[in-house]
Amino acid sequence: MLDLPLSFLHRPAAPSAQPWLLVLMHGVGSNEQDLFGLAPYVPKNFHVISLRAPYAMGPSAWGWFAFTVDAQGERTINEAQEAASRQLVAQTLAAAAQQLGIPPARVVVGGFSQGGIMALSLLLSQPALLQAAMVLHSRLLTQVVPLVAAHEALKGKQLWLSHGTHDEVIPLASAHAIRELVETLPIELSYSEYPSAHELIQQELVDAMGWLQELTE
């Protein structure tokens, strides 16, 4: 049994000489059940761990950090909560990898919306913990930009980034901003846009799972 700082669901990997670990993080107002629904589609050589965010927002609703949106659509986040969540996720990731006996070179974090923010922030700021991130319909926090690791530490890391062209919650421009930053870094980027809103459609799921499989080959 895993002993982790955050509540979670776990699908063990099939027997493998070199298992991988995928840690998933849900969007704001959801819970660990959400992205755990992806587990049947994830390659069998991955352990899948779906985390519950630490801040309660309502019945079965959790978030990684609170935020407000002003009349112009500008978001202001609770910076203390975001920093605490980022550290808690890092601790959880390290603990899961250690307990499962998986090195950082076979660890991937992924998330949708606010969970994708956490996955991207972790890859950029603490790359020693993982090999890759899968960021779905998300955005880059300006607070994380000063924390981006040195180029040497990011060399060889990988990022899946996808977004919906009709996303009404997080505009497509947010994905473009992530892409622009990552293209200045030695990270291998796989970028895709889909004719969708703030949702994960079948083709996006198929493509993202294919990317995961390619990581292990």
Side-chain angles (χ1 to χ4, degrees):
M1 293 291 291
L2 294 173
D3 181 15
L4 304 179
L6 287 167
S7 296
F8 66 95
L9 296 171
H10 176 211
R11 186 208 75 180
S16 169
Q18 289 194 322
W20 283 63
L21 169 62
L22 173 64
V23 176
L24 295 171
M25 290 169 282
H26 61 78
V28 66
S30 190
N31 58 57
E32 69 276 23
Q33 295 282 353
D34 189 8
L35 291 189
F36 197 62
L38 300 182
Y41 305 97
V42 176
K44 301 301 182 186
N45 55 333
F46 278 85
H47 287 274
V48 179
I49 293 177
S50 184
L51 302 179
R52 178 197 296 173
Y55 298 105
M57 303 184 67
S60 301
W62 303 81
W64 302 98
F65 52 87
F67 66 93
T68 58
V69 183
D70 65 19
Q72 286 73 44
E74 292 296 318
R75 287 174 165 84
T76 300
I77 72 165
N78 184 317
E79 296 189 16
Q81 287 186 352
E82 186 278 327
S85 281
R86 185 158 25 89
Q87 189 56 35
L88 200 52
V89 171
Q91 292 168 358
T92 301
L93 192 65
Q98 190 274 326
Q99 291 172 41
L100 292 168
I102 297 175
R106 297 203 301 270
V107 173
V108 183
V109 292
F112 179 83
S113 196
Q114 197 179 77
I117 290 175
M118 302 307 297
L120 178 64
S121 297
L122 206 63
L123 175 67
L124 293 176
S125 66
Q126 301 194 56
L129 293 174
L130 65 157
Q131 172 59 28
M134 183 172 65
V135 177
L136 311 164
H137 299 252
S138 195
R139 67 189 186 95
L140 171 70
L141 294 181
T142 57
Q143 292 84 353
V144 170
V145 175
L147 307 178
V148 173
H151 279 219
E152 188 62 35
L154 293 167
K155 193 173 294 182
K157 304 301 180 181
Q158 291 154 288
L159 172 64
W160 167 273
L161 177 62
S162 57
H163 213 92
T165 55
H166 310 303
D167 194 322
E168 74 291 353
V169 177
I170 299 180
L172 182 61
S174 296
H176 293 169
I178 297 172
R179 181 176 61 184
E180 288 170 12
L181 173 67
V182 172
E183 286 175 343
T184 70
L185 303 171
I187 294 174
E188 183 182 322
L189 174 64
S190 296
Y191 179 82
S192 295
E193 295 177 4
Y194 296 89
S196 62
H198 198 62
E199 60 189 338
L200 189 60
I201 63 172
Q202 184 65 27
Q203 190 58 55
E204 185 175 3
L205 174 61
V206 169
D207 294 345
M209 295 303 104
W211 174 81
L212 279 179
Q213 183 63 52
E214 289 175 5
L215 290 179
T216 71
E217 296 171 353

